[in-house]
Amino acid sequence: MTPESETDQQYNFAYLDEQTKRMIRRALLKAVAIPGYQVPFAGREMPMPYGWGTGGIQVTAAILRRDDTLKVIDQGADDTTNAVSIRKFFKRVAGIATTEKTREATIIQTRHRIPETPLEDGQIIVFQVPIPEPLRFLEPRETETRKMHALEEYGLMHVKLYEDIARHGHIATTYAYPVKVAGRYIMDPSPTPKFDNPKMNRTPALQLFGAGREKRIYAIPPYTEVVSLDFEDHPFEVQKWDRPCALCGATESFLDEVIMDDQGTRMFVCSDTDHCEKRRGEGHVGPAQEAAE
Amino acid sequence: MAVTELTPGFSDPVHDSANAFRAILDAMARPGRIVDLPALPDPPKGFDAAAAVLALSLLDDDTPVWIDPGLRNAALDAFLRFHAGCPIIDRTDLCRFAFVGADAFAALVEDLPIGEPDYPDRSATAIVLCDGLTGGLRRALRGPGIQDVAHLAPKGMTEEGWESLTRNQVLFPLGIDTIFVSQGQIAALPRSIRISAEEN
Amino acid sequence: MYVAVKGGERAIDNAHGLMAEDRRGDPEVAELTIPQIREQMKLAVDRVMTEGSVFDRDLAALAIKQARGDLIEAAFLIRAYRTTLTRFGASLPVDTGKMKIDRRISAAFKDIPGGQVLGPTFDYTHRLLDFKLAAEGGEAPMALPVDADGETAPHVLDLLAAEGLVETPGMANDDAAPADITREAPEYPMDREARLQSLARGDEGYLLALAYSTQRGYGRTHPFAGEIRLGRVSVEFMPEELGFPVEIGEIELTECNMINQFKGSKAMPPQFTRGYGVAFGHGERKAMAMALVDRSLRSEELGEEITAPAQDQEFVLSHCDNVQATGFLEHLKLPHYVDFQSELELVRRMRGEAAE
């Protein structure tokens, strides 16, 4: 817990002024009521650049309570520079408690990953989103994509995925893989690897998405059906690694590839640093640890 | 009107509204769940404490509000104007929030804005003042935010009220969102929720 | 052993320290003061005020100093500061017809009522490096006194409008609250009011390139510089409780009214049309570019065929903000390794299958 004296008193609690918070809060309620639909909101300029998570930061600032415990991850890790910077920002402007442990957090702000530890009822995960529109790369015009969502005209997306299969034998989308939420809206799950898509389905936690530059907020309520688009003959599947985490031996987690030397020696380790540390704390050992012992 | 008639707002607006909002968000994300709102010591006379907290947390000069004539009085107007600064309007089709008694709800639903196909979020949220959140006509709820099935039985909701909400659901993704309030508690019913009378 | 980035917090603190040192440069050289920047880097200050959307010369000068002369970064600092300010309301529209003029030219007429006033301009300078400026401590130059200093003059285009030859400017609906792009998410098609706001804070270089493209034939608009004026206007605000306007200050503006040939369409008879540009302080390039792009974006309203990038609202407006653009471009520096890992896995798998 940060002592009160370290909190920056020049700004309102959690930086945003109350009117801005109310505007975002109202947008959040509509987002929850219409799962997967992108609610326009008057995103503010934040003291960090667009692209650095200003949407997620505004959502977190609008929902934050004094007694919250915040976890911030980037690429699954708590110690990446941007995660450190955002965590520091909220410590400074809100004086809230922070944690690196998924289970202890009431709010988790993330860029590009969903923690491996299953989320629970009462937790909120806030995603930082660069391009919220799943149809954007098929149709650059907002006026058109809005119509497509209104008419539930999603054929183009299926055609695109099927063209991948025809050309490559696979759906060549590996992250920001489109999902259908509660049987209605197609949604961009933010650039998380498709490995994390199944975690979005029927999770007991509330999932909120903020796109600052594009000024959109969307949400998935708890226990909501989230289906990754696929085809009968080409069902959705996630990435697999042919080896365990070198440090903790996990076989079910998303692994980062680390290049070790000039000869191209590689090591694969959990991208979720909290998950990896927890497992090691429980006595799990990976091949790299075994070799060292 | 005399200054003394103005009842107080939040004692700590920043944190009180943050706490209230999280309770409201929790309710909207888990339809049917009864959630406690932080208490307001002294709501305007005749107005529900939870409704007053909702108003202080969500309303400002960007949110035109319609108030059921059966609920409206000078003390409530003064409270909303002073603490929230929201315009109080007579046209239901232009409001963002509507405060209505459970008995008058059925007649109101179809007059509220339901959004546009391109912008379904441009719709009203109805805040329905009830005599209790349990013990009334009971309905089963299914949909986003509900693991299997939830139930809700706000006291004062009529058959017609439930029917109008069932018709509202068919409009999804258009439609209004509803928050039932009573004695410091709320339960939400977003448009996404399927309503049925059967018990299982 | 495990080499991934650790100690992010210390790395960030160190980077901040290095940047502060770099900003100061050689400590043997005198430190820049805010008044120096404000007075001697006026055009940089004016650009930062325009793109930062705050009229405050001292703040803009501070931002330029802090940003080490990076004007987009400086505009960003100003914008981030701006969002923390309380919004009291909207001023009354400023009346540029009552501008106290320091410079005013029309390329469409030889002479105009009120006269052509050249004012401070690079236009007829020879672009030869002036090595006298390299020496410090010279005497401050004094301009000759001019006649028109601070006079007012009618808008040139109003003279044509009286004859019906040029369209009368569109009037904002006085009853409706003005659009505010800082408080509403953009919605397309966007009204001209909101379009002009977006263009006014848009990047000068971007608008310059788009305007140039229209001159080269990508959506040609046949422009004449009807009038460019630089000067000071008073800003008035009407507090709800007073019921009458009070002057709250004076700002310097550059305003450009372009006259564009128009052969007429189903929607309008043949007449000259207008494009409008405005900038805080002295910003002629910006105001002119904005005026050309404004006119291009009116293509749909005027019933013209839309064929060129500068006529395409969504394209022009959703990319004109340099604070947004630079953020999204530079965010590529942030780690993306989980997504890259996902792609690597796919490419390896597909190569494996291809080899089989």
Coordinates of all heavy atoms in Angstrom, one line a residue, chain A residues 12-13 18-19 21-22 25-26 28-30 32-35 37 39-40 62-66 68 107 121-122 124 146 150 182 184-185 204 206 221-224, chain B residues 12 14-15 17-19 21-22 24-25 28-30 33 57-63 97 117-121 123-125 144-147 172-173 177 190-192:
Chain A
N12 N -7.2 14.9 -9.3 CA -8.3 14.2 -8.7 C -7.9 12.7 -8.5 O -7.0 12.2 -9.2 CB -9.5 14.3 -9.6 CG -10.8 13.8 -8.9 OD1 -10.9 13.8 -7.7 ND2 -11.8 13.5 -9.7
F13 N -8.6 12.0 -7.6 CA -8.4 10.6 -7.4 C -8.5 9.9 -8.7 O -9.4 10.1 -9.5 CB -9.4 10.1 -6.4 CG -9.4 8.6 -6.3 CD1 -8.4 8.0 -5.5 CD2 -10.4 7.8 -6.9 CE1 -8.4 6.6 -5.4 CE2 -10.3 6.4 -6.8 CZ -9.3 5.8 -6.0
E18 N -14.3 14.2 -12.3 CA -15.5 13.4 -12.0 C -16.5 13.4 -13.2 O -17.2 12.4 -13.4 CB -16.2 14.0 -10.8 CG -15.5 13.7 -9.5 CD -15.2 12.3 -9.2 OE1 -16.2 11.5 -9.2 OE2 -14.0 11.9 -9.2
Q19 N -16.5 14.5 -14.0 CA -17.5 14.5 -15.1 C -17.0 13.5 -16.2 O -17.8 12.8 -16.7 CB -17.6 15.9 -15.7 CG -18.7 16.0 -16.7 CD -19.0 17.4 -17.2 OE1 -18.2 18.3 -16.9 NE2 -20.2 17.5 -17.8
K21 N -15.2 10.8 -15.6 CA -15.5 9.5 -15.0 C -17.0 9.1 -15.2 O -17.3 8.0 -15.6 CB -15.2 9.4 -13.5 CG -13.7 9.4 -13.2 CD -13.6 9.2 -11.7 CE -12.2 9.6 -11.2 NZ -12.2 9.7 -9.7
R22 N -17.9 10.0 -15.0 CA -19.3 9.7 -15.1 C -19.6 9.4 -16.6 O -20.3 8.4 -16.9 CB -20.2 10.9 -14.7 CG -20.6 10.9 -13.2 CD -21.7 11.9 -13.0 NE -21.3 13.2 -13.4 CZ -20.7 14.1 -12.6 NH1 -20.3 13.8 -11.4 NH2 -20.4 15.3 -13.0
R25 N -18.3 6.0 -17.1 CA -19.1 5.0 -16.4 C -20.5 4.7 -17.1 O -20.9 3.6 -17.2 CB -19.4 5.5 -14.9 CG -18.2 5.5 -14.1 CD -18.3 6.3 -12.8 NE -17.1 6.2 -12.0 CZ -16.9 6.9 -10.9 NH1 -17.8 7.8 -10.5 NH2 -15.7 6.8 -10.3
R26 N -21.1 5.8 -17.6 CA -22.3 5.5 -18.3 C -22.1 4.7 -19.6 O -22.9 3.8 -19.9 CB -23.0 6.9 -18.7 CG -23.5 7.7 -17.5 CD -24.4 8.9 -18.0 NE -23.6 9.8 -18.7 CZ -23.2 11.0 -18.2 NH1 -23.4 11.3 -17.0 NH2 -22.5 11.8 -19.0
L28 N -19.8 2.5 -19.9 CA -19.5 1.1 -19.4 C -20.8 0.4 -19.2 O -20.9 -0.8 -19.5 CB -18.7 1.2 -18.2 CG -17.2 1.4 -18.4 CD1 -16.5 1.7 -17.0 CD2 -16.5 0.2 -19.0
L29 N -21.8 1.0 -18.6 CA -23.0 0.4 -18.3 C -23.7 0.0 -19.6 O -24.3 -1.1 -19.7 CB -24.0 1.3 -17.5 CG -23.5 1.6 -16.0 CD1 -24.5 2.5 -15.3 CD2 -23.3 0.3 -15.2
K30 N -23.7 0.8 -20.6 CA -24.3 0.5 -21.9 C -23.5 -0.7 -22.5 O -24.0 -1.6 -23.2 CB -24.3 1.7 -22.9 CG -25.3 2.7 -22.4 CD -26.8 2.2 -22.5 CE -27.7 3.2 -21.9 NZ -29.1 2.6 -21.6
V32 N -21.9 -3.1 -21.1 CA -22.3 -4.3 -20.4 C -23.6 -4.8 -20.8 O -23.9 -6.0 -21.0 CB -22.2 -4.1 -18.8 CG1 -22.8 -5.3 -18.1 CG2 -20.7 -3.9 -18.4
A33 N -24.5 -3.8 -21.1 CA -25.9 -4.2 -21.4 C -26.0 -4.7 -22.9 O -26.9 -5.4 -23.2 CB -26.8 -3.0 -21.3
I34 N -25.0 -4.3 -23.7 CA -25.0 -4.8 -25.1 C -23.7 -5.5 -25.3 O -22.8 -4.9 -26.0 CB -25.2 -3.6 -26.1 CG1 -26.2 -2.6 -25.5 CG2 -25.5 -4.1 -27.5 CD1 -26.3 -1.3 -26.3
P35 N -23.5 -6.7 -24.9 CA -22.2 -7.4 -24.9 C -21.6 -7.4 -26.3 O -22.2 -7.8 -27.3 CB -22.5 -8.8 -24.4 CG -23.8 -8.6 -23.6 CD -24.6 -7.6 -24.3
Y37 N -20.7 -5.0 -28.2 CA -21.0 -3.8 -29.0 C -20.0 -2.7 -28.6 O -19.9 -2.4 -27.4 CB -22.4 -3.3 -28.9 CG -22.7 -1.9 -29.4 CD1 -22.7 -1.6 -30.7 CD2 -22.9 -0.9 -28.5 CE1 -22.9 -0.3 -31.2 CE2 -23.0 0.4 -28.9 CZ -23.1 0.7 -30.2 OH -23.2 2.0 -30.7
V39 N -19.2 0.9 -27.7 CA -19.8 2.1 -27.4 C -18.9 3.3 -27.6 O -17.8 3.3 -27.1 CB -20.3 2.1 -25.9 CG1 -21.0 3.4 -25.5 CG2 -21.1 0.9 -25.6
P40 N -19.3 4.3 -28.4 CA -18.4 5.4 -28.5 C -18.3 6.2 -27.2 O -19.3 6.3 -26.5 CB -19.1 6.3 -29.6 CG -20.1 5.4 -30.2 CD -20.5 4.4 -29.2
A62 N -11.9 5.0 -14.2 CA -13.3 5.3 -14.0 C -13.9 4.3 -13.1 O -14.9 4.5 -12.4 CB -14.0 5.3 -15.3
I63 N -13.3 3.1 -13.0 CA -14.0 2.1 -12.1 C -13.2 1.9 -10.8 O -13.8 1.3 -9.9 CB -14.0 0.7 -12.8 CG1 -12.6 0.1 -13.0 CG2 -14.8 0.7 -14.1 CD1 -12.6 -1.3 -13.6
L64 N -12.1 2.5 -10.7 CA -11.2 2.3 -9.5 C -11.9 2.8 -8.2 O -12.4 3.9 -8.2 CB -9.9 3.0 -9.7 CG -8.6 2.5 -9.0 CD1 -8.4 1.1 -9.4 CD2 -7.4 3.4 -9.4
R65 N -11.8 2.0 -7.2 CA -12.1 2.5 -5.8 C -10.9 2.5 -5.0 O -9.9 1.8 -5.2 CB -13.1 1.5 -5.2 CG -14.4 1.4 -5.8 CD -15.4 0.5 -5.0 NE -14.8 -0.7 -4.6 CZ -15.4 -1.8 -4.3 NH1 -16.8 -1.8 -4.3 NH2 -14.8 -2.9 -3.9
R66 N -11.0 3.2 -3.9 CA -9.8 3.4 -3.0 C -9.3 2.1 -2.5 O -8.1 1.9 -2.2 CB -10.2 4.4 -1.9 CG -9.0 4.9 -1.2 CD -9.3 6.2 -0.5 NE -10.7 6.2 0.1 CZ -11.2 7.3 0.7 NH1 -10.5 8.4 0.9 NH2 -12.5 7.2 1.2
D68 N -9.3 -0.9 -3.9 CA -9.0 -1.8 -4.9 C -7.5 -2.3 -4.8 O -6.7 -1.5 -4.3 CB -9.3 -1.3 -6.3 CG -10.7 -1.5 -6.8 OD1 -11.1 -2.7 -6.6 OD2 -11.3 -0.6 -7.3
I107 N -8.7 -5.7 -9.7 CA -8.7 -5.2 -11.1 C -7.4 -5.6 -11.7 O -6.3 -5.4 -11.1 CB -8.9 -3.7 -11.2 CG1 -10.3 -3.3 -10.6 CG2 -8.8 -3.2 -12.6 CD1 -10.5 -1.8 -10.5
D121 N -15.2 -14.7 -9.9 CA -16.3 -13.8 -9.7 C -15.8 -12.6 -8.8 O -15.2 -12.8 -7.8 CB -17.5 -14.5 -9.0 CG -18.7 -13.7 -8.9 OD1 -18.7 -12.5 -9.1 OD2 -19.8 -14.3 -8.7
G122 N -16.1 -11.4 -9.2 CA -15.7 -10.2 -8.5 C -14.5 -9.6 -9.0 O -14.3 -8.4 -8.8
I124 N -12.3 -7.9 -12.1 CA -12.5 -7.2 -13.4 C -11.2 -7.2 -14.2 O -10.2 -6.8 -13.6 CB -13.0 -5.8 -13.2 CG1 -14.3 -5.8 -12.4 CG2 -13.2 -5.1 -14.5 CD1 -14.9 -4.4 -12.1
R146 N -20.1 0.0 -39.1 CA -21.2 0.2 -38.2 C -22.5 -0.4 -38.8 O -23.3 -1.1 -38.1 CB -21.4 1.7 -37.9 CG -21.4 2.0 -36.5 CD -21.3 3.3 -36.0 NE -20.3 3.2 -35.0 CZ -20.6 2.8 -33.7 NH1 -21.8 2.5 -33.4 NH2 -19.6 2.7 -32.8
A150 N -24.8 -3.5 -37.4 CA -26.2 -3.3 -37.2 C -27.0 -4.4 -37.9 O -28.0 -4.9 -37.4 CB -26.6 -1.9 -37.7
A182 N -22.1 -13.6 -27.1 CA -23.5 -13.8 -26.8 C -24.4 -14.0 -28.0 O -25.5 -13.6 -28.1 CB -24.1 -12.7 -25.9
R184 N -24.3 -12.6 -30.8 CA -24.7 -11.4 -31.6 C -23.6 -10.7 -32.3 O -23.4 -10.7 -33.5 CB -25.6 -10.5 -30.7 CG -26.0 -9.2 -31.4 CD -26.8 -9.4 -32.7 NE -27.3 -8.2 -33.3 CZ -26.6 -7.5 -34.2 NH1 -25.3 -7.8 -34.4 NH2 -27.1 -6.4 -34.7
Y185 N -22.8 -9.9 -31.5 CA -21.8 -9.1 -32.1 C -20.4 -9.8 -32.3 O -20.0 -10.6 -31.4 CB -21.5 -7.8 -31.2 CG -22.6 -6.8 -31.3 CD1 -23.6 -6.7 -30.4 CD2 -22.6 -5.9 -32.4 CE1 -24.6 -5.8 -30.5 CE2 -23.6 -5.0 -32.6 CZ -24.6 -4.9 -31.6 OH -25.6 -4.0 -31.8
P204 N -16.1 -16.2 -15.0 CA -16.9 -15.5 -13.9 C -16.5 -14.1 -13.8 O -17.2 -13.3 -13.1 CB -16.5 -16.3 -12.7 CG -15.8 -17.5 -13.1 CD -15.2 -17.2 -14.4
L206 N -15.7 -10.1 -14.9 CA -16.2 -9.1 -15.9 C -15.0 -8.6 -16.8 O -14.0 -8.3 -16.3 CB -16.8 -7.9 -15.1 CG -17.2 -6.7 -15.9 CD1 -18.3 -7.0 -16.9 CD2 -17.7 -5.6 -14.9
P221 N -20.0 -9.4 -20.1 CA -20.4 -9.7 -18.8 C -19.9 -11.1 -18.4 O -19.5 -11.9 -19.2 CB -21.9 -9.7 -18.8 CG -22.3 -9.0 -20.1 CD -21.1 -9.3 -21.0
P222 N -19.9 -11.4 -17.1 CA -19.5 -12.7 -16.6 C -20.4 -13.8 -17.3 O -21.5 -13.6 -17.6 CB -19.8 -12.7 -15.1 CG -19.8 -11.2 -14.8 CD -20.3 -10.5 -16.0
Y223 N -19.9 -15.0 -17.4 CA -20.6 -16.2 -17.8 C -21.2 -16.0 -19.2 O -22.2 -16.7 -19.6 CB -21.7 -16.6 -16.9 CG -21.2 -16.7 -15.4 CD1 -21.6 -15.8 -14.5 CD2 -20.4 -17.8 -15.1 CE1 -21.1 -15.9 -13.2 CE2 -19.9 -17.9 -13.8 CZ -20.3 -17.0 -12.8 OH -19.8 -17.1 -11.6
T224 N -20.6 -15.1 -20.0 CA -21.2 -14.9 -21.4 C -20.5 -15.8 -22.4 O -19.3 -16.0 -22.3 CB -21.0 -13.4 -21.7 OG1 -21.7 -12.6 -20.8 CG2 -21.5 -13.1 -23.1
Chain B
D12 N -18.7 12.6 0.5 CA -17.4 12.5 -0.1 C -17.6 12.1 -1.6 O -17.5 10.9 -1.9 CB -16.5 11.4 0.6 CG -15.1 11.3 0.0 OD1 -14.8 11.9 -1.0 OD2 -14.3 10.5 0.6
V14 N -16.2 12.1 -4.5 CA -15.3 11.3 -5.3 C -15.4 9.8 -5.0 O -15.6 9.0 -5.8 CB -13.9 11.8 -5.2 CG1 -12.9 10.9 -5.9 CG2 -13.8 13.2 -5.8
H15 N -15.2 9.5 -3.7 CA -15.2 8.1 -3.3 C -16.6 7.5 -3.2 O -16.8 6.3 -3.5 CB -14.4 8.0 -2.0 CG -12.9 8.4 -2.3 ND1 -12.1 7.7 -3.0 CD2 -12.3 9.5 -1.8 CE1 -10.9 8.3 -3.1 NE2 -11.0 9.4 -2.4
S17 N -19.1 8.2 -5.0 CA -19.7 7.8 -6.3 C -18.9 6.7 -6.9 O -19.4 5.9 -7.7 CB -19.7 9.1 -7.3 OG -18.5 9.7 -7.3
A18 N -17.6 6.6 -6.6 CA -16.8 5.5 -7.1 C -17.3 4.2 -6.5 O -17.5 3.2 -7.2 CB -15.3 5.6 -6.7
N19 N -17.6 4.2 -5.2 CA -18.1 3.0 -4.6 C -19.5 2.6 -5.2 O -19.8 1.5 -5.4 CB -18.2 3.2 -3.1 CG -16.8 3.2 -2.5 OD1 -15.8 2.7 -3.0 ND2 -16.7 3.9 -1.3
F21 N -20.7 3.5 -8.1 CA -20.7 3.0 -9.5 C -20.3 1.5 -9.5 O -20.9 0.8 -10.3 CB -19.7 3.8 -10.3 CG -19.5 3.2 -11.7 CD1 -20.6 3.3 -12.6 CD2 -18.4 2.5 -12.0 CE1 -20.5 2.7 -13.8 CE2 -18.3 1.9 -13.3 CZ -19.3 2.0 -14.2
R22 N -19.3 1.1 -8.7 CA -18.9 -0.3 -8.8 C -20.1 -1.2 -8.4 O -20.2 -2.3 -9.0 CB -17.7 -0.5 -7.9 CG -16.4 -0.1 -8.6 CD -16.0 -1.1 -9.7 NE -15.4 -2.3 -9.1 CZ -14.2 -2.2 -8.6 NH1 -13.4 -1.2 -8.7 NH2 -13.7 -3.3 -8.0
I24 N -23.2 -0.5 -9.0 CA -24.1 -0.4 -10.1 C -23.6 -1.3 -11.3 O -24.3 -2.1 -11.9 CB -24.3 1.0 -10.6 CG1 -24.9 1.9 -9.5 CG2 -25.2 1.1 -11.8 CD1 -24.8 3.4 -9.7
L25 N -22.3 -1.2 -11.5 CA -21.7 -2.0 -12.6 C -21.8 -3.5 -12.3 O -22.1 -4.3 -13.1 CB -20.2 -1.6 -12.7 CG -19.4 -2.4 -13.7 CD1 -19.8 -2.0 -15.1 CD2 -17.9 -2.0 -13.6
M28 N -25.3 -4.5 -13.1 CA -25.6 -4.5 -14.5 C -24.9 -5.7 -15.1 O -25.4 -6.3 -16.1 CB -25.2 -3.2 -15.2 CG -25.6 -3.0 -16.6 SD -27.4 -2.9 -16.7 CE -27.7 -1.2 -16.5
A29 N -23.8 -6.1 -14.6 CA -23.0 -7.2 -15.1 C -23.6 -8.6 -14.7 O -23.3 -9.6 -15.2 CB -21.6 -7.1 -14.7
R30 N -24.4 -8.6 -13.6 CA -24.9 -9.8 -13.1 C -26.4 -9.6 -12.9 O -26.9 -9.5 -11.7 CB -24.2 -10.2 -11.7 CG -22.8 -10.5 -12.0 CD -22.0 -10.6 -10.7 NE -20.6 -11.0 -10.9 CZ -19.7 -10.1 -11.3 NH1 -20.0 -8.8 -11.4 NH2 -18.4 -10.6 -11.5
R33 N -29.1 -10.0 -9.7 CA -28.4 -10.0 -8.4 C -28.8 -8.8 -7.6 O -28.7 -7.7 -8.2 CB -26.9 -10.1 -8.6 CG -26.1 -10.3 -7.3 CD -24.6 -10.2 -7.5 NE -24.1 -11.5 -7.9 CZ -22.8 -11.7 -8.0 NH1 -21.9 -10.8 -7.6 NH2 -22.3 -12.9 -8.4
S57 N -24.6 9.5 -8.8 CA -23.4 8.8 -9.4 C -23.4 8.9 -10.9 O -22.3 8.9 -11.5 CB -23.4 7.3 -9.0 OG -23.8 7.1 -7.7
L58 N -24.6 9.0 -11.5 CA -24.6 8.8 -13.0 C -25.0 10.1 -13.7 O -24.8 10.2 -14.9 CB -25.5 7.7 -13.4 CG -25.1 6.3 -12.9 CD1 -26.1 5.2 -13.3 CD2 -23.7 5.9 -13.4
L59 N -25.7 11.0 -13.1 CA -26.3 12.1 -13.8 C -25.5 13.4 -13.7 O -24.8 13.6 -12.8 CB -27.7 12.4 -13.3 CG -28.7 11.3 -13.1 CD1 -30.0 11.8 -12.7 CD2 -28.8 10.5 -14.4
D60 N -25.5 14.1 -14.8 CA -24.9 15.5 -14.8 C -25.6 16.3 -16.0 O -26.6 15.8 -16.5 CB -23.4 15.5 -14.9 CG -22.9 14.6 -16.1 OD1 -23.6 14.6 -17.2 OD2 -21.8 14.0 -16.0
D61 N -25.0 17.4 -16.4 CA -25.6 18.2 -17.4 C -25.7 17.6 -18.8 O -26.3 18.1 -19.7 CB -25.0 19.6 -17.4 CG -23.5 19.6 -17.6 OD1 -23.0 18.5 -17.7 OD2 -22.9 20.7 -17.5
D62 N -25.0 16.4 -18.9 CA -25.1 15.7 -20.2 C -26.3 14.7 -20.3 O -26.4 14.0 -21.3 CB -23.8 15.0 -20.5 CG -22.7 15.9 -20.9 OD1 -23.0 17.0 -21.4 OD2 -21.5 15.6 -20.6
T63 N -27.0 14.6 -19.2 CA -28.0 13.5 -19.1 C -29.4 14.1 -18.8 O -29.8 14.3 -17.7 CB -27.7 12.5 -18.0 OG1 -27.4 13.2 -16.8 CG2 -26.5 11.7 -18.4
F97 N -32.2 9.0 -18.8 CA -32.6 8.3 -17.6 C -34.0 8.7 -17.3 O -34.4 9.8 -17.5 CB -31.7 8.7 -16.4 CG -30.3 8.1 -16.5 CD1 -29.3 8.8 -17.2 CD2 -30.0 6.9 -15.9 CE1 -28.0 8.2 -17.3 CE2 -28.7 6.3 -16.1 CZ -27.7 7.0 -16.8
P117 N -30.1 1.5 -34.8 CA -29.4 0.3 -35.2 C -27.9 0.5 -35.2 O -27.1 -0.4 -34.8 CB -29.9 0.0 -36.6 CG -31.3 0.6 -36.6 CD -31.2 1.8 -35.8
D118 N -27.4 1.6 -35.7 CA -26.0 1.9 -35.7 C -25.4 2.2 -34.3 O -24.2 2.1 -34.0 CB -25.6 3.0 -36.6 CG -25.7 2.6 -38.1 OD1 -26.2 1.5 -38.4 OD2 -25.3 3.4 -39.0
Y119 N -26.3 2.8 -33.5 CA -25.9 3.2 -32.1 C -26.9 2.8 -31.1 O -27.6 3.6 -30.5 CB -25.8 4.7 -32.1 CG -24.6 5.3 -33.0 CD1 -24.9 5.7 -34.3 CD2 -23.3 5.3 -32.5 CE1 -23.8 6.2 -35.0 CE2 -22.3 5.8 -33.3 CZ -22.6 6.3 -34.5 OH -21.5 6.7 -35.3
P120 N -27.0 1.5 -30.8 CA -28.0 1.0 -29.8 C -27.7 1.5 -28.4 O -28.6 1.4 -27.6 CB -27.8 -0.5 -29.9 CG -26.5 -0.8 -30.5 CD -26.2 0.4 -31.4
D121 N -26.5 2.1 -28.2 CA -26.3 2.6 -26.8 C -27.0 3.9 -26.6 O -27.1 4.4 -25.4 CB -24.8 2.9 -26.7 CG -24.2 3.8 -27.8 OD1 -24.3 3.5 -28.9 OD2 -23.7 4.9 -27.4
S123 N -29.8 4.9 -25.8 CA -31.1 4.5 -25.3 C -31.2 4.8 -23.9 O -30.2 5.2 -23.3 CB -31.1 2.9 -25.5 OG -30.0 2.4 -24.9
A124 N -32.4 4.8 -23.3 CA -32.6 5.2 -22.0 C -32.3 4.1 -21.0 O -32.4 2.9 -21.3 CB -34.0 5.7 -21.8
T125 N -32.0 4.5 -19.8 CA -32.0 3.6 -18.6 C -33.1 3.9 -17.7 O -33.2 5.1 -17.3 CB -30.7 3.7 -17.9 OG1 -29.6 3.4 -18.8 CG2 -30.6 2.7 -16.7
P144 N -26.5 -13.1 -20.9 CA -25.2 -12.6 -20.5 C -25.1 -12.1 -19.0 O -26.0 -11.3 -18.6 CB -24.9 -11.5 -21.4 CG -25.8 -11.7 -22.6 CD -27.0 -12.4 -22.1
G145 N -24.2 -12.6 -18.3 CA -24.0 -12.2 -16.9 C -24.6 -13.2 -15.9 O -24.5 -13.1 -14.7
I146 N -25.4 -14.2 -16.4 CA -26.1 -15.1 -15.6 C -25.5 -16.5 -15.9 O -25.5 -16.9 -17.1 CB -27.6 -15.1 -15.8 CG1 -28.1 -13.7 -15.5 CG2 -28.3 -16.2 -15.0 CD1 -29.6 -13.5 -15.9
Q147 N -25.0 -17.2 -14.9 CA -24.4 -18.5 -15.1 C -25.4 -19.5 -15.7 O -25.1 -20.2 -16.6 CB -23.8 -19.0 -13.8 CG -23.0 -20.3 -14.0 CD -22.1 -20.6 -12.7 OE1 -22.3 -20.0 -11.7 NE2 -21.1 -21.4 -12.9
F172 N -33.6 -6.5 -28.9 CA -32.1 -6.5 -28.8 C -31.4 -6.6 -30.2 O -31.9 -7.3 -31.0 CB -31.7 -7.7 -27.9 CG -30.3 -7.8 -27.6 CD1 -29.7 -7.0 -26.6 CD2 -29.4 -8.5 -28.5 CE1 -28.3 -7.0 -26.4 CE2 -28.0 -8.5 -28.2 CZ -27.5 -7.8 -27.2
P173 N -30.4 -5.9 -30.4 CA -29.6 -5.0 -29.5 C -30.2 -3.7 -29.1 O -29.6 -2.9 -28.4 CB -28.2 -4.9 -30.2 CG -28.6 -5.0 -31.6 CD -29.7 -5.9 -31.7
D177 N -32.6 -0.3 -20.8 CA -32.0 -1.1 -19.7 C -32.7 -0.6 -18.4 O -33.1 0.5 -18.3 CB -30.5 -0.9 -19.6 CG -29.8 -1.2 -20.9 OD1 -30.1 -2.3 -21.4 OD2 -29.2 -0.3 -21.5
P190 N -30.6 -5.7 -17.9 CA -30.3 -5.1 -19.2 C -31.1 -5.7 -20.3 O -31.7 -6.8 -20.1 CB -28.8 -5.4 -19.4 CG -28.5 -6.5 -18.4 CD -29.5 -6.4 -17.3
R191 N -31.2 -5.1 -21.4 CA -32.0 -5.5 -22.6 C -31.6 -6.9 -23.1 O -32.4 -7.5 -23.8 CB -31.9 -4.5 -23.7 CG -30.5 -4.5 -24.3 CD -30.2 -3.4 -25.2 NE -29.9 -2.2 -24.4 CZ -29.6 -1.0 -25.0 NH1 -29.6 -0.9 -26.3 NH2 -29.3 0.0 -24.2
S192 N -30.4 -7.3 -22.8 CA -29.9 -8.6 -23.3 C -30.5 -9.8 -22.7 O -30.4 -10.9 -23.1 CB -28.4 -8.7 -23.1 OG -28.1 -8.5 -21.8

